Amino acid sequence: MSAYDTRTAEAAYTDIMQERTEQERPPLLECRGLGKSYGRHPALRELNFTLPRGRIVGLLGPNGSGKTTLLKLACGLIKPSLGQILINGEAPGVASKKAAAYLPEKTYLNDWMRVRDIVKLFEDFYADFRSERAREMLGNLGIGEAARLKTLSKGNQEKVQLIMVMSRDAQLYLLDEPIGGVDPAAREYIVNTIIGNYNENATVLLSTHIITDIETVLDEVIFLKEGALVLNSSVDKLREESGKSVDQVFREVFRC
Amino acid sequence: MLGKLIKYEFRATARHYLPIYGLILLLTLFGGITGSKLGAVSLEEGRGFWMAVLIAAYGAAVFALMVLTLVITVNRFYKNLLGSEGYLMFTLPVTTGRQIFGKLLPALAWIILSCLVVLFSALLLITKSSAADLFGQIFPAIGEACRELGVGNFLLGAVELIALGLLGTASLLLTIYLALAIGQLANEHKFLLSFGAFVAIQTLGQTLGLVVAFAGGNHSLAWLYALISGLPGSAAVHVSLLGLILGGFIICAALYAPTWFLLHKKLNLA
C-alpha cells in the first residue's frame, strides 16, 4: 500500500468516526413526556420531540399555547411537572446554560446599568460571548455604550437584549417572541440579526405568533395548541404536502 | 464565578449604601466643625438648637441606614434572583450555591461596614475625641486587654465573638432567603407567602430553642454543664463560645440546605 493510499484510508476512517460520533451525540434538545401545570391549569401536555442541530425552528402557537413555558423549562427557570427536558442529553444546569442563549419576552437586564457594563457582564460570564460583534451591532444601531438602559426606548432596550444574546456563539438560541412588540423595520433588523449571527451548527428555536415576517427563514415548525404538540414538520415538507404556506396552515389549525 | 457574582452584587448595592454612609460621615464632620460635639457643649452655651438638629439628622440617617439595609437585603434576593432579573441570573452558567453565596457574602460585608460606620461616627460625635485620638486609644485598650486576659485568650475570644456575630447575622439573612425561596413556589401572592414563611421559620426556630433549653433543665444536657463547670474560667468561656459557634453553623446549614433545594429543584420564575 502506498503512502498516498494510507493517508486516504486514514482520512476515510476519520470521516466515518466523525459521522458516527455525530450520530451518537445526544439531540441538542429533547422533550420526553414533558408536562407542566400551574396549579390545576395544564400549560404543557406530554410533549415528545427532539430538535436537530443547525436548524431555525419556529415555535408557533397562539397566546397561551405554552410557548413561553417550553422555553423557560429549557432554561431551567421553571421545573417540569412531568417528564424531562434535556439539552445535550442533560437536564438544565450549568452545562446547558453554557450551551444555550435565552432571550425572554420581557426586559430582564438591570435598567440602571450602562450598555457597556452589560457588554462586560456578558463577557465576564459567557466564554462564548463575542464583545466585538456586540459593539459592532450596537454601533450599527447608533446605541451609545455610555447610555444607561433605562434612558433607551423600549424598542432599543429589546434590541440591546437581542444583541447580547446573538453575540454569543451558542449551540442553541431560545428566543421568546423576539419580534413581538417592535415595528416592521425593527422586525427586519431583528430577523437579519438572527440569521446573520448564528453559526450553521447551532439551532435557533424562536417562538412567535407573527409568522409572515419569519416564514422565509424557518427550516422547521412546531405548532403548539393548548399545551399539546399538534405539528412538528420541516417547512419544505409542510409546503409540499399541504400546498400551502406556513401562515395559511397556521390559520387553519388555529381557526377560532 | 463566585468572585464575579460578588463584584456585580457590590456594584449594584454600593450605589444605595455609599450615599447614606456619606451623609452619616458628613453629619459627623458637621458635628466636628461646629463644635457641636454632644459631650462638649451644654444648652447654656447657646448651641442647643444646632445640637438638636444634629441629633435629629444623625438619628434619621442611622435609622434610614437600618431600613435601607433590610430593604436592600430583601430586594436584591427577591428582585434580582426571583423577579424578572432572575431570568438573567438563573441563565448564567453558575451553580445555585454560588448564586446564594453571591448574595449572602456581600450582604454580610455591607452589614459589617454599616456597623463600623455607625459605631465610628457615633463615638466621634459622643466623645470629645477626634478620629486620630479614637484610633490612638484603640491600640492601648487592646494592649490592656491582652495583659489582663493573656494574648492567646484575648485573640481567641475576639475571633470567637466575631465568628459568632457573623454566624448570627448570616442566620438572619438565610432565614430571609429561605422565606423568599418558599414564597416563590406560589404562582400568586409570592411576597405574602414569603412573609408568612418568615414568621413560621422564626417561630419554629424559637420553639426548637425552647425545647433545647427545657431539655437542659431536665438534665439531659447535664453532661455539657458538668463539662463546662469543670473547666477553669477562661476555658469554660471558650468552650461555651465554641459550642455556640457550632450551633450557629448548624442553624446556618439547616437554613441554607432547603434554600438551595428550593432554588435548584423547585425554581418557579413563572
Side-chain angles (χ1 to χ4, degrees):
Chain A
M1 192 185 276
S2 70
Y4 175 78
D5 289 339
T6 311
R7 273 200 304 275
T8 312
E10 277 175 4
Y13 177 75
T14 311
D15 283 351
I16 291 165
M17 288 311 287
Q18 269 179 355
E19 202 172 304
R20 188 176 289 175
T21 313
E22 193 63 37
Q23 283 168 0
E24 284 167 3
R25 278 169 85 182
L28 188 51
L29 185 144
E30 182 177 11
C31 296
R32 291 185 191 163
L34 181 68
K36 176 69 184 174
S37 302
Y38 296 111
R40 286 182 184 175
H41 171 70
L44 284 181
R45 301 159 197 264
E46 224 186 314
L47 297 190
N48 287 292
F49 68 89
T50 57
L51 278 192
R53 291 167 200 273
R55 313 290 277 170
I56 299 186
V57 184
L59 180 61
L60 312 177
N63 293 326
S65 55
K67 304 186 297 289
T68 297
T69 299
L70 178 61
L71 295 177
K72 281 189 185 177
L73 283 165
C75 296
L77 298 177
I78 51 175
K79 306 294 174 182
S81 310
L82 283 172
Q84 284 180 302
I85 186 162
L86 305 171
I87 305 219
N88 285 327
E90 288 181 38
V94 172
S96 75
K97 289 167 189 177
K98 282 180 184 169
Y102 171 57
L103 179 76
E105 60 180 335
K106 54 170 82 175
T107 50
Y108 72 137
L109 297 173
N110 297 305
D111 63 0
W112 56 270
M113 285 177 91
R114 294 181 193 279
V115 174
R116 64 164 165 260
D117 298 331
I118 294 166
V119 173
K120 187 78 181 68
L121 186 146
F122 272 71
E123 201 175 54
D124 271 350
F125 284 99
Y126 295 110
D128 61 5
F129 185 73
R130 304 286 168 257
S131 46
E132 311 76 37
R133 193 191 296 168
R135 292 201 173 95
E136 190 189 326
M137 285 196 273
L138 288 166
N140 290 343
L141 283 178
I143 297 174
E145 288 188 43
R148 284 190 197 279
L149 207 59
K150 64 180 163 194
T151 64
L152 300 178
S153 67
K154 191 168 180 290
N156 274 350
Q157 287 185 20
E158 287 179 1
K159 284 179 201 163
V160 170
Q161 292 193 162
L162 179 75
I163 288 170
M164 293 303 118
V165 171
M166 295 313 296
S167 296
R168 285 184 60 195
D169 276 336
Q171 296 174 41
L172 175 63
Y173 297 89
L174 301 161
L175 313 178
D176 197 358
E177 299 279 1
I179 56 170
V182 292
D183 59 79
R187 258 179 228 168
E188 193 180 333
Y189 173 81
I190 289 167
V191 172
N192 289 337
T193 306
I194 293 167
I195 301 167
N197 286 288
Y198 93 105
N199 77 62
E200 57 192 28
N201 291 319
T203 284
V204 178
L205 177 63
L206 71 92
S207 82
T208 187
H209 53 266
I210 305 168
I211 299 165
T212 42
D213 287 308
I214 55 151
E215 180 163 349
T216 50
V217 304
L218 295 180
D219 299 312
E220 315 244 343
V221 285
I222 291 172
F223 280 16
L224 285 184
K225 189 177 185 182
E226 293 169 4
L229 184 78
V230 290
L231 181 78
N232 181 7
S233 166
S234 83
V235 170
D236 290 342
K237 195 175 154 199
L238 183 69
R239 284 197 192 115
E240 203 176 294
E241 286 178 358
S242 68
K244 293 169 187 161
S245 69
V246 175
D247 190 42
Q248 284 170 323
V249 176
F250 182 88
R251 284 168 200 273
E252 276 178 19
V253 172
F254 297 106
R255 184 172 289 136
C256 297
Chain B
M1 283 291 182
L2 179 60
K4 288 175 186 169
L5 285 176
I6 289 173
K7 178 180 88 174
Y8 281 99
E9 187 61 19
F10 269 122
R11 212 176 270 179
T13 43
R15 66 203 184 95
H16 300 299
Y17 282 108
L18 294 184
I20 193 98
Y21 288 170
L23 178 67
I24 289 174
L25 294 176
L26 203 69
L27 288 170
T28 310
L29 195 69
F30 176 74
I33 290 169
T34 58
S36 312
K37 284 183 179 164
L38 309 187
V41 298
S42 63
L43 289 174
E44 291 77 38
E45 289 174 52
R47 290 187 183 142
F49 173 74
W50 289 111
M51 215 169 84
V53 169
L54 192 65
I55 291 170
Y58 182 80
V62 170
F63 181 70
L65 178 60
M66 285 160 58
V67 173
L68 194 78
T69 305
L70 180 67
V71 170
I72 292 174
T73 304
V74 172
N75 229 13
R76 286 302 297 167
F77 202 85
Y78 187 67
K79 273 183 74 180
N80 189 243
L81 288 186
L82 305 174
S84 57
E85 289 169 22
Y87 285 58
L88 172 68
M89 298 309 288
F90 279 108
T91 47
L92 296 175
V94 176
T95 60
T96 308
R98 286 189 177 140
Q99 291 284 13
I100 299 171
F101 277 101
K103 291 281 174 280
L104 179 69
L105 297 178
L108 266 179
W110 283 121
I111 289 171
I112 293 166
L113 201 57
S114 296
C115 289
L116 288 176
V117 167
V118 171
L119 190 73
F120 179 61
S121 62
L123 278 175
L124 283 176
L125 272 178
I126 291 165
T127 67
K128 297 174 185 176
S129 315
S130 68
D133 287 345
L134 263 184
F135 279 117
Q137 286 169 11
I138 288 172
F139 295 105
I142 290 174
E144 180 73 18
C146 285
R147 268 191 302 281
E148 270 188 31
L149 301 169
V151 179
N153 261 338
F154 174 77
L155 288 179
L156 185 60
V159 169
E160 285 164 349
L161 286 174
I162 290 169
L164 206 54
L166 285 176
L167 284 168
T169 313
S171 70
L172 179 63
L173 291 171
L174 286 166
T175 306
I176 293 172
Y177 296 167
L178 176 57
L180 292 170
I182 292 170
Q184 60 98 32
L185 293 172
N187 291 323
E188 286 174 31
H189 310 301
K190 288 172 188 269
F191 203 78
L192 196 65
L193 180 59
S194 301
F195 188 76
F198 182 80
V199 173
I201 298 164
Q202 289 284 55
T203 310
L204 187 69
Q206 283 172 7
T207 311
L208 283 175
L210 281 175
V211 168
V212 170
F214 276 114
N218 290 334
H219 302 292
S220 58
L221 290 177
W223 60 272
L224 186 62
Y225 297 123
L227 172 74
I228 293 169
S229 55
L231 293 168
S234 62
V237 171
H238 289 310
V239 168
S240 306
L241 284 174
L242 287 171
L244 288 172
I245 288 170
L246 180 67
F249 257 119
I250 292 169
I251 290 169
C252 285
L255 291 164
Y256 172 83
T259 308
W260 179 89
F261 175 79
L262 291 171
L263 295 186
H264 193 68
K265 300 278 185 193
K266 302 284 174 192
L267 187 64
N268 181 35
L269 296 190

